[in-house]
């Protein structure tokens, strides 16, 4: 019943900005940590940013200073504001949320949204 869905991906020129959003829905008791990950073709999945239920954040060094993660606990959403985008940011971005539902706490993943940065 629990589902997370991303939106906001697209094509942008280097130096531009995009804002990704992720919404969790379903039989949710509580959402713990949330985060964004990305995976480019032929590459390993990597952590981009995480945020705890209390609002503490962590960022990959490659995006630090350029990306900002935030969440709205009342709306069960998490966002990723991406500024000063670089071609190497091109990837499929996935939302992750650790959610306590009726069957316990599990990690849930969104379907992914494509971000393409042109040079």
């Amino acid at each position: 019943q629990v589902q997370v869905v991303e939106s906001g991906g697209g094509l942008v020129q280097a130096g531009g900005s995009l804002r990704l959003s992720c919404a969790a829905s379903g039989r949710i008791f509580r959402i713990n940590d949330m985060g964004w990950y990305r995976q480019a073709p032929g590459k390993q999945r990597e952590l981009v940013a995480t945020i705890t239920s209390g609002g503490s954040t962590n960022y990959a060094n490659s995006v630090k200073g350029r990306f900002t993660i935030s969440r709205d606990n009342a709306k069960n959403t998490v966002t990723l504001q991406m500024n000063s985008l670089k071609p190497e940011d091109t990837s499929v971005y996935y939302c992750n949320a650790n959610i306590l539902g009726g069957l316990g706490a599990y990690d849930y993943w969104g379907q992914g949204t494509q971000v393409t940065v042109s040079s």
Side-chain angles (χ1 to χ4, degrees), residues 85-118:
L85 283 162
K86 304 175 181 179
E88 50 263 45
D89 294 319
T90 296
S91 188
V92 177
Y93 284 71
Y94 297 91
C95 176
N96 172 265
N98 185 267
I99 299 174
L100 176 63
L103 299 179
Y106 299 96
D107 280 355
Y108 293 87
W109 294 89
Q111 80 286 355
T113 185
Q114 177 71 47
V115 172
T116 302
V117 184
S118 63

Side-chain angles (χ1 to χ4, degrees), residues 19-25 28 30-36 51-55 57 68-80 95 97:
R19 187 180 183 90
L20 306 183
S21 297
C22 174
S25 62
I28 298 171
R30 183 178 66 248
I31 302 180
N32 299 312
D33 293 358
M34 305 184 79
W36 289 93
I51 184 167
T52 68
S53 60
T57 59
T68 302
I69 188 172
S70 61
R71 65 189 288 168
D72 187 330
N73 291 331
K75 297 181 179 180
N76 291 338
T77 59
V78 61
T79 64
L80 184 69
C95 176

Side-chain angles (χ1 to χ4, degrees), residues 6-55:
E6 306 103 330
S7 62
L11 174 65
V12 66
Q13 291 187 347
S17 298
L18 283 174
R19 187 180 183 90
L20 306 183
S21 297
C22 174
S25 62
R27 196 174 178 180
I28 298 171
F29 296 161
R30 183 178 66 248
I31 302 180
N32 299 312
D33 293 358
M34 305 184 79
W36 289 93
Y37 297 75
R38 65 188 183 188
Q39 186 168 18
K43 297 182 179 179
Q44 299 181 49
R45 180 183 63 184
E46 63 175 344
L47 185 149
V48 177
T50 61
I51 184 167
T52 68
S53 60

